[in-house]
Amino acid sequence: MPNIKSAKKRVIVSEKKNLRNKSYRSALKSEIKKADAALTGNTADVEGSVKAAIKKIDQAVSKGILHKNTAARKKSALTVKLNKAKVS
């Protein structure tokens, strides 16, 4: 445990941010899993679930949870799966 007051504060602040980021990451993963499940199953609202996942990915980028290139890769993968599902 740090002895300096500012170092103590940084520990507390970083713990709070870590918990918040963990929550955002978990929600993001859940949304992506829902979209994948909708794409593999015969769900009626496939496009809606993919749109929701893409929106969640964009929000994660704006909050600094994901890097923009990682987000672009994830969105691209979802879109490719959606297009394949439409063709089939």
Side-chain angles (χ1 to χ4, degrees):
M1 191 70 194
N3 293 325
I4 298 168
K5 187 177 179 182
S6 61
K8 289 178 184 178
K9 182 178 178 182
R10 292 309 314 160
V11 168
I12 293 168
V13 169
S14 66
E15 284 175 356
K16 285 182 186 176
K17 286 185 176 183
N18 188 15
L19 286 174
R20 191 178 311 126
N21 288 344
K22 193 179 291 188
S23 166
Y24 287 142
R25 240 180 277 127
S26 175
L28 173 67
K29 287 180 183 178
S30 297
E31 200 67 45
I32 292 172
K33 285 180 186 177
K34 284 180 192 174
D36 277 336
L39 286 167
T40 56
N42 291 330
T43 309
D45 192 25
V46 177
E47 286 188 36
S49 63
V50 171
K51 276 188 179 180
I54 288 175
K55 181 177 179 182
K56 202 70 152 171
I57 291 170
D58 287 335
Q59 288 173 343
V61 170
S62 70
K63 292 180 188 300
I65 307 299
L66 285 180
H67 190 272
K68 64 178 184 176
N69 291 350
T70 304
R73 186 177 67 242
K74 289 182 182 292
K75 291 192 304 187
S76 175
L78 281 173
T79 307
V80 166
K81 287 180 186 177
L82 177 63
N83 290 339
K84 283 186 180 177
K86 282 182 180 178
V87 171
S88 311

